[in-house]
Amino acid sequence: MTLTYLSTLPLPDSWFAELSERLPDVEVHRLAAGETPDPALLERVDLLHTSEWFPEASAVPALRCVQLDTSGVDHVRRTTLWQTGVPIATLGGIAPVPMAEYAMMSILELAHRMPLIERHRADRTWPTNADRLSSLTPRQLPGATVGIIGYGRIGREISRLATAFGMHVLGLSRTGVPAPADAKFDTGRQAPGEDRAEILPMEALPEVMRRSDILVVVVPLTELTRGMIGAEQLDLLPDGALVVNIARGGIVDEQALLERLRDGRIGGVALDVFDEEPLGAESVWWSEPGALITPHVAGLAPQYHAQTLDLVVENLTRLAEGRSIVNEVDRVSGY
């Protein structure tokens, strides 16, 4: 059976050449940015590989799979394709390692007072011995408790790294039990290791907040998680807690977070995601003391092209064989 594949992504020519080489029976088509798709082509597409462009469901009657170039699916819920029974697959399994490394980088930078150190660098000032001892002495990480909100593959990898630094890990998940290590698509690039996290269900959020010296937010944005960490929840954190958000904007109340950072109740924040992206030049976050700010880069993977190709080949092969795709979104849970 010949399958028709259509990509809307700006991948290199070599990527499509290798796809054709690995799956010679698949018709490979590309849609450039701003290009008007051929209606006849859309009518016979089996797998649509896309990020932000989604046709009306009626225009793709043969569609059997939407392969996203993202891990999150919040932007797909507004499309007519979401209302169909067509399976939607995420990019899950590619980002856990770089996202976990980003989380640990942020924890280490905040613990070692890097936002304040960078301000001294920008101002070309050398702090006195007294200032260094009072404001630049690092926090102790061994023995600290890290609360991970959203304990899936990314959470497990964060847990593995945090445990190596001597930290105790609390994992909050929808099911309250660890996900199997081989869940969905696994590129095999995650290091093995025993998962020693303490896993709790979503209703235990207040307990996790109270116990977390460091909070890492990595939960998908769904109707259940939108606004789940507001002023009430932030006030449960121990004084001086650190907050790292690598999930999506809309989960953590940015204004409440800012207020608590400014009055010292929160000791430092690292934000890779925001309510509005791109973050406007006028945003106070750019220059806020105690904050590490990055432009939604935590999930960028060094081996992205190779890993994405493996995933697309796997799902096209499964479609040809009549098997279920990997990384299929559960429309009920929303991810």
Side-chain angles (χ1 to χ4, degrees), residues 175-244:
T175 61
V177 296
D182 60 349
K184 298 185 179 180
F185 181 71
D186 191 343
T187 64
R189 292 165 170 82
Q190 287 183 256
E194 180 185 0
D195 188 351
R196 287 183 273 173
E198 180 183 349
I199 311 300
L200 296 95
M202 294 297 283
E203 54 266 27
L205 176 61
E207 178 184 349
V208 172
M209 300 296 289
R210 282 192 291 266
R211 295 172 59 187
S212 295
D213 302 301
I214 303 162
L215 188 75
V216 180
V217 183
V218 70
V219 70
L221 178 61
T222 68
E223 292 308 310
L224 177 66
T225 63
R226 185 179 296 277
M228 73 180 295
I229 300 178
E232 179 183 349
Q233 290 73 31
L234 291 171
D235 285 342
L236 297 176
L237 289 169
D239 284 346
L242 307 178
V243 176
V244 177

Side-chain angles (χ1 to χ4, degrees), residues 19-247:
L19 175 61
S20 295
E21 182 178 341
R22 291 174 64 174
L23 296 176
D25 292 335
V26 172
E27 286 186 24
V28 176
H29 297 271
R30 304 160 66 175
L31 185 65
E35 181 182 352
T36 301
D38 178 359
L41 172 60
L42 290 183
E43 287 180 358
R44 55 191 181 85
V45 168
D46 294 287
L47 188 146
L48 173 65
H49 190 190
T50 188
S51 176
E52 301 290 340
W53 182 83
F54 301 96
E56 289 296 317
S58 58
V60 283
L63 192 64
R64 299 170 59 195
C65 175
V66 176
Q67 174 63 63
L68 297 176
D69 193 51
T70 60
S71 296
V73 299
D74 43 289
H75 61 302
V76 191
R77 296 191 193 98
R78 301 184 295 271
T79 71
T80 56
L81 289 176
W82 183 264
Q83 307 304 323
T84 71
V86 175
I88 299 172
T90 72
L91 203 61
I94 292 177
V97 169
M99 291 191 75
E101 290 173 351
Y102 177 99
M104 285 307 304
M105 173 195 72
S106 299
I107 292 169
L108 289 168
E109 288 206 18
L110 291 175
H112 284 263
R113 319 295 185 184
M114 287 306 297
L116 293 178
I117 290 172
E118 284 298 324
R119 290 182 70 82
H120 281 292
R121 179 184 179 185
D123 296 340
R124 296 174 180 253
T125 59
W126 191 277
T128 65
N129 286 342
D131 286 340
R132 286 190 294 166
L133 287 172
S134 64
S135 62
L136 299 181
T137 298
R139 298 172 59 121
Q140 180 169 308
L141 292 181
T145 295
V146 180
I148 301 174
I149 308 300
Y151 198 77
R153 284 171 292 186
I154 299 169
R156 281 202 314 274
E157 183 66 6
I158 296 171
S159 174
R160 186 184 69 81
L161 298 179
T163 300
F165 279 84
M167 292 181 267
H168 177 67
V169 177
L170 303 176
L172 192 76
S173 78
R174 182 172 58 89
T175 61
V177 296
D182 60 349
K184 298 185 179 180
F185 181 71
D186 191 343
T187 64
R189 292 165 170 82
Q190 287 183 256
E194 180 185 0
D195 188 351
R196 287 183 273 173
E198 180 183 349
I199 311 300
L200 296 95
M202 294 297 283
E203 54 266 27
L205 176 61
E207 178 184 349
V208 172
M209 300 296 289
R210 282 192 291 266
R211 295 172 59 187
S212 295
D213 302 301
I214 303 162
L215 188 75
V216 180
V217 183
V218 70
V219 70
L221 178 61
T222 68
E223 292 308 310
L224 177 66
T225 63
R226 185 179 296 277
M228 73 180 295
I229 300 178
E232 179 183 349
Q233 290 73 31
L234 291 171
D235 285 342
L236 297 176
L237 289 169
D239 284 346
L242 307 178
V243 176
V244 177
N245 187 3
I246 54 176

Side-chain angles (χ1 to χ4, degrees), residues 15 18 22 94 189 302-311:
W15 192 96
E18 186 172 348
R22 291 174 64 174
I94 292 177
R189 292 165 170 82
Q303 297 298 318
Y304 162 80
H305 286 151
Q307 292 171 283
T308 303
L309 184 61
D310 287 344
L311 176 57

